[in-house]
Amino acid sequence: MILELDCGNSLIKWRVLQVSGDVAAQGASVSAVDLLSALSGLTGVKIERARLVSVRSDLETEELCSCISSALFIDVQRALPAPRLGGVVNGYLEYDRLGMDRWLAMVGAFQLERRAMVVIDLGTAVTVDFVDAEGGHLGGYICPGISLLRQQLTTHTRRISYTAEEIPMMQGEPAPGRSTVQAVERGCFLMLRSFVASQVLAASDYLGADFVIYSTGGDATLIDDMVGVRRVPDLVFRGLAIACP
């Protein structure tokens, strides 16, 4: 079986694939210790190799790879930057500066349909990338995700304070808030939605009339009801399989 790891800013998302490609187990862990504990609790799972993508520092990533390799007695293959992969051409002026999660999400998406596309990843940060029908990455945008927007308000505004238990469902009533928690949560939600909507609206300027929109990431459900958006939760893992076959 293959262990796949997507090491983001906040969580280590993981899944175990059978030889057939079916997912045997999956989850999200806050640390390497938490990850290994979760894996040790799986029955009937024999992990023979691992592949990993990380947006963390080289030191953090190397320590994580070493920890997993030592504990599971396997090699950990790490996805590295590339100027071209899976039919997609890296559009950054310095290709190795493009975030690996963004890169692999684009590569994974392009395998679904080789056509012009917008790839939206909603995690700690929200990223939007444009890829033309020939696989050329035209560039993209990065802005704070909803958790960072919330954190900035609660950190830098003295009288804004509430607990996680008070946070309502984001997809709920968008009317003006009648409490601080409602006002903040609905305001952050509308900012995120407005940013995404503006990028989708502008996409035709770069891609023409024929393109597909993919969303992924932990907060992708927040835009599920937006017209034309197709949510694919495992885009990064799909790209990882191309980078580390």
Side-chain angles (χ1 to χ4, degrees), residues 173-205:
E173 174 61 53
R178 301 188 67 181
S179 69
T180 297
V181 63
Q182 287 182 352
V184 170
E185 292 302 317
R186 293 177 186 179
C188 291
F189 173 58
L190 289 174
M191 284 190 70
L192 180 145
R193 297 257 306 185
S194 297
F195 170 72
V196 171
S198 70
Q199 299 312 307
V200 171
L201 186 64
S204 60
D205 294 340

PDB file of all heavy atoms in Angstrom, residues 173-205:
ATOM      1  N   GLU A 173     -27.323  31.891   6.986  1.00  0.00           N
ATOM      2  CA  GLU A 173     -27.924  33.187   6.707  1.00  0.00           C
ATOM      3  C   GLU A 173     -26.859  34.262   6.454  1.00  0.00           C
ATOM      4  O   GLU A 173     -26.010  34.512   7.290  1.00  0.00           O
ATOM      5  CB  GLU A 173     -28.791  33.590   7.905  1.00  0.00           C
ATOM      6  CG  GLU A 173     -29.377  34.974   7.819  1.00  0.00           C
ATOM      7  CD  GLU A 173     -30.292  35.120   6.616  1.00  0.00           C
ATOM      8  OE1 GLU A 173     -31.197  34.286   6.482  1.00  0.00           O
ATOM      9  OE2 GLU A 173     -30.072  36.047   5.824  1.00  0.00           O
ATOM     10  N   PRO A 174     -26.879  34.906   5.255  1.00  0.00           N
ATOM     11  CA  PRO A 174     -25.879  35.931   4.947  1.00  0.00           C
ATOM     12  C   PRO A 174     -26.300  37.340   5.377  1.00  0.00           C
ATOM     13  O   PRO A 174     -25.589  38.302   5.109  1.00  0.00           O
ATOM     14  CB  PRO A 174     -25.788  35.855   3.421  1.00  0.00           C
ATOM     15  CG  PRO A 174     -27.181  35.495   3.003  1.00  0.00           C
ATOM     16  CD  PRO A 174     -27.710  34.582   4.082  1.00  0.00           C
ATOM     17  N   ALA A 175     -27.450  37.458   6.029  1.00  0.00           N
ATOM     18  CA  ALA A 175     -27.947  38.775   6.432  1.00  0.00           C
ATOM     19  C   ALA A 175     -26.991  39.429   7.430  1.00  0.00           C
ATOM     20  O   ALA A 175     -26.166  38.754   8.053  1.00  0.00           O
ATOM     21  CB  ALA A 175     -29.331  38.631   7.058  1.00  0.00           C
ATOM     22  N   PRO A 176     -27.045  40.740   7.576  1.00  0.00           N
ATOM     23  CA  PRO A 176     -26.169  41.430   8.524  1.00  0.00           C
ATOM     24  C   PRO A 176     -26.223  40.792   9.908  1.00  0.00           C
ATOM     25  O   PRO A 176     -27.301  40.453  10.413  1.00  0.00           O
ATOM     26  CB  PRO A 176     -26.732  42.857   8.537  1.00  0.00           C
ATOM     27  CG  PRO A 176     -27.377  43.012   7.196  1.00  0.00           C
ATOM     28  CD  PRO A 176     -27.949  41.676   6.864  1.00  0.00           C
ATOM     29  N   GLY A 177     -25.036  40.613  10.512  1.00  0.00           N
ATOM     30  CA  GLY A 177     -24.972  39.970  11.820  1.00  0.00           C
ATOM     31  C   GLY A 177     -25.543  40.826  12.933  1.00  0.00           C
ATOM     32  O   GLY A 177     -25.380  42.048  12.937  1.00  0.00           O
ATOM     33  N   ARG A 178     -26.155  40.162  13.884  1.00  0.00           N
ATOM     34  CA  ARG A 178     -26.732  40.874  15.033  1.00  0.00           C
ATOM     35  C   ARG A 178     -25.994  40.519  16.321  1.00  0.00           C
ATOM     36  O   ARG A 178     -26.508  40.718  17.427  1.00  0.00           O
ATOM     37  CB  ARG A 178     -28.221  40.560  15.141  1.00  0.00           C
ATOM     38  CG  ARG A 178     -28.974  40.969  13.865  1.00  0.00           C
ATOM     39  CD  ARG A 178     -30.464  40.845  14.004  1.00  0.00           C
ATOM     40  NE  ARG A 178     -30.989  41.809  14.965  1.00  0.00           N
ATOM     41  CZ  ARG A 178     -32.282  41.886  15.292  1.00  0.00           C
ATOM     42  NH1 ARG A 178     -33.156  41.067  14.729  1.00  0.00           N
ATOM     43  NH2 ARG A 178     -32.687  42.777  16.177  1.00  0.00           N
ATOM     44  N   SER A 179     -24.803  39.996  16.155  1.00  0.00           N
ATOM     45  CA  SER A 179     -23.877  39.768  17.266  1.00  0.00           C
ATOM     46  C   SER A 179     -22.485  39.847  16.662  1.00  0.00           C
ATOM     47  O   SER A 179     -22.326  39.760  15.436  1.00  0.00           O
ATOM     48  CB  SER A 179     -24.106  38.394  17.917  1.00  0.00           C
ATOM     49  OG  SER A 179     -23.723  37.358  17.025  1.00  0.00           O
ATOM     50  N   THR A 180     -21.475  39.987  17.503  1.00  0.00           N
ATOM     51  CA  THR A 180     -20.113  40.103  16.980  1.00  0.00           C
ATOM     52  C   THR A 180     -19.708  38.863  16.206  1.00  0.00           C
ATOM     53  O   THR A 180     -19.134  38.947  15.117  1.00  0.00           O
ATOM     54  CB  THR A 180     -19.120  40.349  18.132  1.00  0.00           C
ATOM     55  OG1 THR A 180     -19.437  41.596  18.759  1.00  0.00           O
ATOM     56  CG2 THR A 180     -17.691  40.412  17.604  1.00  0.00           C
ATOM     57  N   VAL A 181     -20.010  37.682  16.751  1.00  0.00           N
ATOM     58  CA  VAL A 181     -19.621  36.458  16.069  1.00  0.00           C
ATOM     59  C   VAL A 181     -20.314  36.340  14.714  1.00  0.00           C
ATOM     60  O   VAL A 181     -19.700  35.948  13.710  1.00  0.00           O
ATOM     61  CB  VAL A 181     -19.901  35.211  16.944  1.00  0.00           C
ATOM     62  CG1 VAL A 181     -21.381  35.036  17.225  1.00  0.00           C
ATOM     63  CG2 VAL A 181     -19.338  33.960  16.267  1.00  0.00           C
ATOM     64  N   GLN A 182     -21.583  36.714  14.631  1.00  0.00           N
ATOM     65  CA  GLN A 182     -22.289  36.691  13.352  1.00  0.00           C
ATOM     66  C   GLN A 182     -21.683  37.693  12.374  1.00  0.00           C
ATOM     67  O   GLN A 182     -21.474  37.388  11.196  1.00  0.00           O
ATOM     68  CB  GLN A 182     -23.771  36.992  13.553  1.00  0.00           C
ATOM     69  CG  GLN A 182     -24.566  35.877  14.187  1.00  0.00           C
ATOM     70  CD  GLN A 182     -26.044  36.235  14.303  1.00  0.00           C
ATOM     71  OE1 GLN A 182     -26.451  37.373  14.042  1.00  0.00           O
ATOM     72  NE2 GLN A 182     -26.845  35.278  14.722  1.00  0.00           N
ATOM     73  N   ALA A 183     -21.405  38.893  12.851  1.00  0.00           N
ATOM     74  CA  ALA A 183     -20.883  39.939  11.979  1.00  0.00           C
ATOM     75  C   ALA A 183     -19.519  39.555  11.408  1.00  0.00           C
ATOM     76  O   ALA A 183     -19.250  39.754  10.225  1.00  0.00           O
ATOM     77  CB  ALA A 183     -20.789  41.259  12.750  1.00  0.00           C
ATOM     78  N   VAL A 184     -18.646  38.996  12.254  1.00  0.00           N
ATOM     79  CA  VAL A 184     -17.314  38.603  11.796  1.00  0.00           C
ATOM     80  C   VAL A 184     -17.393  37.419  10.842  1.00  0.00           C
ATOM     81  O   VAL A 184     -16.826  37.445   9.740  1.00  0.00           O
ATOM     82  CB  VAL A 184     -16.406  38.255  12.993  1.00  0.00           C
ATOM     83  CG1 VAL A 184     -15.102  37.623  12.511  1.00  0.00           C
ATOM     84  CG2 VAL A 184     -16.102  39.501  13.814  1.00  0.00           C
ATOM     85  N   GLU A 185     -18.087  36.379  11.251  1.00  0.00           N
ATOM     86  CA  GLU A 185     -18.135  35.165  10.437  1.00  0.00           C
ATOM     87  C   GLU A 185     -18.806  35.409   9.089  1.00  0.00           C
ATOM     88  O   GLU A 185     -18.327  34.940   8.051  1.00  0.00           O
ATOM     89  CB  GLU A 185     -18.855  34.049  11.198  1.00  0.00           C
ATOM     90  CG  GLU A 185     -18.094  33.541  12.408  1.00  0.00           C
ATOM     91  CD  GLU A 185     -16.715  33.019  12.062  1.00  0.00           C
ATOM     92  OE1 GLU A 185     -16.582  32.312  11.037  1.00  0.00           O
ATOM     93  OE2 GLU A 185     -15.755  33.336  12.793  1.00  0.00           O
ATOM     94  N   ARG A 186     -19.892  36.141   9.088  1.00  0.00           N
ATOM     95  CA  ARG A 186     -20.579  36.418   7.827  1.00  0.00           C
ATOM     96  C   ARG A 186     -19.783  37.383   6.965  1.00  0.00           C
ATOM     97  O   ARG A 186     -19.761  37.261   5.738  1.00  0.00           O
ATOM     98  CB  ARG A 186     -21.983  36.957   8.111  1.00  0.00           C
ATOM     99  CG  ARG A 186     -22.886  35.914   8.759  1.00  0.00           C
ATOM    100  CD  ARG A 186     -24.256  36.464   9.122  1.00  0.00           C
ATOM    101  NE  ARG A 186     -25.024  35.461   9.861  1.00  0.00           N
ATOM    102  CZ  ARG A 186     -26.242  35.663  10.332  1.00  0.00           C
ATOM    103  NH1 ARG A 186     -26.842  36.830  10.150  1.00  0.00           N
ATOM    104  NH2 ARG A 186     -26.872  34.699  10.989  1.00  0.00           N
ATOM    105  N   GLY A 187     -19.090  38.324   7.603  1.00  0.00           N
ATOM    106  CA  GLY A 187     -18.258  39.257   6.847  1.00  0.00           C
ATOM    107  C   GLY A 187     -17.094  38.545   6.179  1.00  0.00           C
ATOM    108  O   GLY A 187     -16.806  38.774   4.996  1.00  0.00           O
ATOM    109  N   CYS A 188     -16.420  37.661   6.911  1.00  0.00           N
ATOM    110  CA  CYS A 188     -15.291  36.908   6.344  1.00  0.00           C
ATOM    111  C   CYS A 188     -15.776  35.987   5.228  1.00  0.00           C
ATOM    112  O   CYS A 188     -15.126  35.856   4.177  1.00  0.00           O
ATOM    113  CB  CYS A 188     -14.601  36.088   7.431  1.00  0.00           C
ATOM    114  SG  CYS A 188     -13.715  37.077   8.663  1.00  0.00           S
ATOM    115  N   PHE A 189     -16.914  35.356   5.450  1.00  0.00           N
ATOM    116  CA  PHE A 189     -17.487  34.466   4.452  1.00  0.00           C
ATOM    117  C   PHE A 189     -17.797  35.219   3.162  1.00  0.00           C
ATOM    118  O   PHE A 189     -17.461  34.768   2.057  1.00  0.00           O
ATOM    119  CB  PHE A 189     -18.756  33.830   5.025  1.00  0.00           C
ATOM    120  CG  PHE A 189     -19.545  33.006   4.052  1.00  0.00           C
ATOM    121  CD1 PHE A 189     -18.968  31.922   3.412  1.00  0.00           C
ATOM    122  CD2 PHE A 189     -20.868  33.297   3.794  1.00  0.00           C
ATOM    123  CE1 PHE A 189     -19.704  31.149   2.520  1.00  0.00           C
ATOM    124  CE2 PHE A 189     -21.613  32.536   2.902  1.00  0.00           C
ATOM    125  CZ  PHE A 189     -21.025  31.457   2.263  1.00  0.00           C
ATOM    126  N   LEU A 190     -18.385  36.389   3.284  1.00  0.00           N
ATOM    127  CA  LEU A 190     -18.733  37.174   2.094  1.00  0.00           C
ATOM    128  C   LEU A 190     -17.485  37.702   1.388  1.00  0.00           C
ATOM    129  O   LEU A 190     -17.457  37.789   0.157  1.00  0.00           O
ATOM    130  CB  LEU A 190     -19.663  38.325   2.478  1.00  0.00           C
ATOM    131  CG  LEU A 190     -21.089  37.917   2.867  1.00  0.00           C
ATOM    132  CD1 LEU A 190     -21.877  39.124   3.362  1.00  0.00           C
ATOM    133  CD2 LEU A 190     -21.809  37.266   1.694  1.00  0.00           C
ATOM    134  N   MET A 191     -16.442  38.049   2.148  1.00  0.00           N
ATOM    135  CA  MET A 191     -15.189  38.488   1.523  1.00  0.00           C
ATOM    136  C   MET A 191     -14.594  37.362   0.677  1.00  0.00           C
ATOM    137  O   MET A 191     -14.172  37.577  -0.466  1.00  0.00           O
ATOM    138  CB  MET A 191     -14.186  38.941   2.582  1.00  0.00           C
ATOM    139  CG  MET A 191     -14.473  40.298   3.186  1.00  0.00           C
ATOM    140  SD  MET A 191     -13.101  40.893   4.206  1.00  0.00           S
ATOM    141  CE  MET A 191     -11.874  41.233   2.955  1.00  0.00           C
ATOM    142  N   LEU A 192     -14.567  36.150   1.249  1.00  0.00           N
ATOM    143  CA  LEU A 192     -14.014  35.018   0.521  1.00  0.00           C
ATOM    144  C   LEU A 192     -14.834  34.750  -0.743  1.00  0.00           C
ATOM    145  O   LEU A 192     -14.293  34.579  -1.829  1.00  0.00           O
ATOM    146  CB  LEU A 192     -14.008  33.781   1.429  1.00  0.00           C
ATOM    147  CG  LEU A 192     -13.457  32.485   0.841  1.00  0.00           C
ATOM    148  CD1 LEU A 192     -12.735  31.685   1.921  1.00  0.00           C
ATOM    149  CD2 LEU A 192     -14.566  31.626   0.239  1.00  0.00           C
ATOM    150  N   ARG A 193     -16.140  34.723  -0.591  1.00  0.00           N
ATOM    151  CA  ARG A 193     -17.015  34.444  -1.739  1.00  0.00           C
ATOM    152  C   ARG A 193     -16.874  35.515  -2.821  1.00  0.00           C
ATOM    153  O   ARG A 193     -16.850  35.203  -4.010  1.00  0.00           O
ATOM    154  CB  ARG A 193     -18.472  34.379  -1.265  1.00  0.00           C
ATOM    155  CG  ARG A 193     -18.779  33.272  -0.283  1.00  0.00           C
ATOM    156  CD  ARG A 193     -19.482  32.134  -0.898  1.00  0.00           C
ATOM    157  NE  ARG A 193     -20.690  32.491  -1.598  1.00  0.00           N
ATOM    158  CZ  ARG A 193     -21.509  31.602  -2.137  1.00  0.00           C
ATOM    159  NH1 ARG A 193     -21.213  30.313  -2.071  1.00  0.00           N
ATOM    160  NH2 ARG A 193     -22.600  31.976  -2.764  1.00  0.00           N
ATOM    161  N   SER A 194     -16.770  36.764  -2.401  1.00  0.00           N
ATOM    162  CA  SER A 194     -16.658  37.857  -3.370  1.00  0.00           C
ATOM    163  C   SER A 194     -15.344  37.766  -4.139  1.00  0.00           C
ATOM    164  O   SER A 194     -15.307  38.021  -5.346  1.00  0.00           O
ATOM    165  CB  SER A 194     -16.752  39.204  -2.653  1.00  0.00           C
ATOM    166  OG  SER A 194     -18.017  39.362  -2.043  1.00  0.00           O
ATOM    167  N   PHE A 195     -14.269  37.413  -3.436  1.00  0.00           N
ATOM    168  CA  PHE A 195     -12.978  37.268  -4.108  1.00  0.00           C
ATOM    169  C   PHE A 195     -13.039  36.161  -5.160  1.00  0.00           C
ATOM    170  O   PHE A 195     -12.612  36.346  -6.306  1.00  0.00           O
ATOM    171  CB  PHE A 195     -11.876  36.958  -3.089  1.00  0.00           C
ATOM    172  CG  PHE A 195     -10.569  36.569  -3.716  1.00  0.00           C
ATOM    173  CD1 PHE A 195      -9.784  37.509  -4.356  1.00  0.00           C
ATOM    174  CD2 PHE A 195     -10.124  35.250  -3.686  1.00  0.00           C
ATOM    175  CE1 PHE A 195      -8.574  37.158  -4.949  1.00  0.00           C
ATOM    176  CE2 PHE A 195      -8.926  34.881  -4.283  1.00  0.00           C
ATOM    177  CZ  PHE A 195      -8.152  35.838  -4.914  1.00  0.00           C
ATOM    178  N   VAL A 196     -13.568  35.007  -4.778  1.00  0.00           N
ATOM    179  CA  VAL A 196     -13.660  33.892  -5.716  1.00  0.00           C
ATOM    180  C   VAL A 196     -14.548  34.258  -6.895  1.00  0.00           C
ATOM    181  O   VAL A 196     -14.204  34.003  -8.059  1.00  0.00           O
ATOM    182  CB  VAL A 196     -14.195  32.634  -5.004  1.00  0.00           C
ATOM    183  CG1 VAL A 196     -14.507  31.537  -6.019  1.00  0.00           C
ATOM    184  CG2 VAL A 196     -13.183  32.124  -3.980  1.00  0.00           C
ATOM    185  N   ALA A 197     -15.692  34.878  -6.621  1.00  0.00           N
ATOM    186  CA  ALA A 197     -16.621  35.248  -7.691  1.00  0.00           C
ATOM    187  C   ALA A 197     -15.968  36.219  -8.669  1.00  0.00           C
ATOM    188  O   ALA A 197     -16.177  36.117  -9.888  1.00  0.00           O
ATOM    189  CB  ALA A 197     -17.886  35.867  -7.094  1.00  0.00           C
ATOM    190  N   SER A 198     -15.167  37.141  -8.164  1.00  0.00           N
ATOM    191  CA  SER A 198     -14.512  38.108  -9.044  1.00  0.00           C
ATOM    192  C   SER A 198     -13.497  37.426  -9.961  1.00  0.00           C
ATOM    193  O   SER A 198     -13.341  37.805 -11.118  1.00  0.00           O
ATOM    194  CB  SER A 198     -13.826  39.208  -8.221  1.00  0.00           C
ATOM    195  OG  SER A 198     -12.687  38.711  -7.534  1.00  0.00           O
ATOM    196  N   GLN A 199     -12.815  36.392  -9.460  1.00  0.00           N
ATOM    197  CA  GLN A 199     -11.837  35.680 -10.270  1.00  0.00           C
ATOM    198  C   GLN A 199     -12.508  34.817 -11.339  1.00  0.00           C
ATOM    199  O   GLN A 199     -12.024  34.726 -12.470  1.00  0.00           O
ATOM    200  CB  GLN A 199     -10.932  34.816  -9.382  1.00  0.00           C
ATOM    201  CG  GLN A 199     -10.127  35.606  -8.373  1.00  0.00           C
ATOM    202  CD  GLN A 199      -9.441  36.806  -9.003  1.00  0.00           C
ATOM    203  OE1 GLN A 199      -8.730  36.666  -9.999  1.00  0.00           O
ATOM    204  NE2 GLN A 199      -9.657  37.978  -8.453  1.00  0.00           N
ATOM    205  N   VAL A 200     -13.622  34.203 -10.976  1.00  0.00           N
ATOM    206  CA  VAL A 200     -14.377  33.417 -11.951  1.00  0.00           C
ATOM    207  C   VAL A 200     -14.905  34.322 -13.056  1.00  0.00           C
ATOM    208  O   VAL A 200     -14.880  33.986 -14.239  1.00  0.00           O
ATOM    209  CB  VAL A 200     -15.526  32.661 -11.259  1.00  0.00           C
ATOM    210  CG1 VAL A 200     -16.456  32.017 -12.300  1.00  0.00           C
ATOM    211  CG2 VAL A 200     -14.971  31.600 -10.310  1.00  0.00           C
ATOM    212  N   LEU A 201     -15.364  35.498 -12.660  1.00  0.00           N
ATOM    213  CA  LEU A 201     -15.893  36.461 -13.632  1.00  0.00           C
ATOM    214  C   LEU A 201     -14.795  36.942 -14.577  1.00  0.00           C
ATOM    215  O   LEU A 201     -15.020  37.132 -15.774  1.00  0.00           O
ATOM    216  CB  LEU A 201     -16.514  37.651 -12.897  1.00  0.00           C
ATOM    217  CG  LEU A 201     -17.240  38.691 -13.750  1.00  0.00           C
ATOM    218  CD1 LEU A 201     -18.457  38.056 -14.440  1.00  0.00           C
ATOM    219  CD2 LEU A 201     -17.692  39.870 -12.885  1.00  0.00           C
ATOM    220  N   ALA A 202     -13.592  37.112 -14.048  1.00  0.00           N
ATOM    221  CA  ALA A 202     -12.479  37.624 -14.862  1.00  0.00           C
ATOM    222  C   ALA A 202     -11.824  36.541 -15.703  1.00  0.00           C
ATOM    223  O   ALA A 202     -11.049  36.855 -16.620  1.00  0.00           O
ATOM    224  CB  ALA A 202     -11.423  38.257 -13.946  1.00  0.00           C
ATOM    225  N   ALA A 203     -12.125  35.269 -15.421  1.00  0.00           N
ATOM    226  CA  ALA A 203     -11.427  34.170 -16.085  1.00  0.00           C
ATOM    227  C   ALA A 203     -11.565  34.214 -17.601  1.00  0.00           C
ATOM    228  O   ALA A 203     -10.625  33.866 -18.326  1.00  0.00           O
ATOM    229  CB  ALA A 203     -11.931  32.827 -15.556  1.00  0.00           C
ATOM    230  N   SER A 204     -12.705  34.639 -18.090  1.00  0.00           N
ATOM    231  CA  SER A 204     -12.914  34.669 -19.548  1.00  0.00           C
ATOM    232  C   SER A 204     -11.957  35.643 -20.232  1.00  0.00           C
ATOM    233  O   SER A 204     -11.640  35.482 -21.415  1.00  0.00           O
ATOM    234  CB  SER A 204     -14.366  35.026 -19.873  1.00  0.00           C
ATOM    235  OG  SER A 204     -14.693  36.302 -19.349  1.00  0.00           O
ATOM    236  N   ASP A 205     -11.477  36.655 -19.498  1.00  0.00           N
ATOM    237  CA  ASP A 205     -10.511  37.592 -20.072  1.00  0.00           C
ATOM    238  C   ASP A 205      -9.191  36.900 -20.402  1.00  0.00           C
ATOM    239  O   ASP A 205      -8.475  37.301 -21.324  1.00  0.00           O
ATOM    240  CB  ASP A 205     -10.236  38.743 -19.107  1.00  0.00           C
ATOM    241  CG  ASP A 205     -11.456  39.627 -18.883  1.00  0.00           C
ATOM    242  OD1 ASP A 205     -12.372  39.594 -19.726  1.00  0.00           O
ATOM    243  OD2 ASP A 205     -11.489  40.334 -17.859  1.00  0.00           O
TER     244      ASP A 205
END
